[in-house]
Amino acid sequence: MRLIIDPLGDGHHDLFLKIDVMPSQLKIADSYYLFDFLEIGQEEIKVITQQKMTPIAYGTLRLIDYWESRIWAMTKGQTLFLLFDLSDQYVGGFRVTKVKYGYQFEEVFSEQTTGYAVNKSTLDSVLPLTLLQTGKNSSSRWLISEEKLREGLNWSKKEILNKNP
């Protein structure tokens, strides 16, 4: 699983999540509400810009850190929501369950909240797992080993840092 930034993006359709399973999947999301979700304020963005890192690179790195803090703290059998897609009409992402051989990912969404109405501090209380739905025409589920998950997220961080020193 690798997160890639479209450097020419403008906050819409500029985050690409490549899931290297059979068949390979590509999920696209907006970064528009990412800073609000991650609780990154204008002052923090100003400092990052002065350090010559693009705000989208910084936000994406922080998103990966957020994902890792949630995923690596999981115990076998535990399930959580890993947010990826922050839209005006819904939020989307993955229901993740830690299993014996890694992590079971299932693509889910909820229209019970929107991208601008949720942040990392309130996500679990605003959007309990029971409100998550799978797509009507999709049964997107993947098993990803811990090793491959770590490898993909580490690759993503290195690529972002290489392009935004």
Side-chain angles (χ1 to χ4, degrees):
M1 190 164 101
R2 295 178 286 151
L3 186 56
I4 302 162
I5 301 169
D6 175 1
L8 301 178
D10 63 354
H12 300 287
H13 297 94
D14 56 351
L15 295 177
F16 301 94
L17 187 64
K18 188 166 188 304
I19 303 167
D20 297 315
V21 293
M22 293 304 261
S24 184
Q25 302 283 317
L26 180 65
K27 305 300 173 189
I28 302 171
D30 298 348
S31 67
Y32 191 79
Y33 296 117
L34 181 62
F35 301 98
D36 293 331
F37 174 75
L38 294 170
E39 302 166 345
I40 298 172
Q42 288 300 317
E43 285 301 313
E44 195 172 349
I45 292 171
K46 194 175 184 181
V47 170
I48 292 308
T49 305
Q50 290 171 349
Q51 295 175 354
K52 307 291 187 216
M53 180 178 275
T54 63
I56 184 63
Y58 180 73
T60 305
L61 288 169
R62 291 275 307 269
L63 179 62
I64 293 170
D65 289 343
Y66 170 73
W67 287 350
E68 289 178 331
S69 72
R70 290 177 59 88
I71 291 170
W72 307 147
M74 293 177 74
T75 58
K76 187 176 168 192
Q78 184 179 0
T79 300
L80 59 75
F81 176 53
L82 198 64
L83 185 127
F84 173 61
D85 192 359
L86 296 154
S87 169
D88 288 337
Q89 296 87 26
Y90 66 90
V91 295
F94 306 95
R95 183 178 304 146
V96 181
T97 303
K98 183 165 175 69
V99 295
K100 184 175 184 177
Y101 296 108
Y103 298 88
Q104 180 76 48
F105 282 75
E106 179 179 28
E107 189 173 12
V108 293
F109 72 96
S110 177
E111 295 173 334
Q112 300 297 317
T113 191
T114 57
Y116 56 83
V118 67
N119 60 50
K120 68 180 187 175
S121 297
T122 63
L123 179 64
D124 292 329
S125 61
V126 169
L127 192 58
L129 290 170
T130 56
L131 294 179
L132 299 173
Q133 308 170 44
T134 56
K136 292 183 176 113
N137 299 327
S138 172
S139 167
S140 299
R141 297 183 97 162
W142 311 278
L143 178 62
I144 303 175
S145 72
E146 184 168 337
E147 177 185 351
K148 288 296 181 186
L149 186 56
R150 281 185 192 276
E151 184 179 297
L153 294 176
N154 286 335
W155 178 91
S156 300
K157 290 189 287 188
K158 285 177 189 169
E159 282 295 305
I160 294 166
L161 288 170
N162 286 338
K163 293 178 180 173
N164 295 275

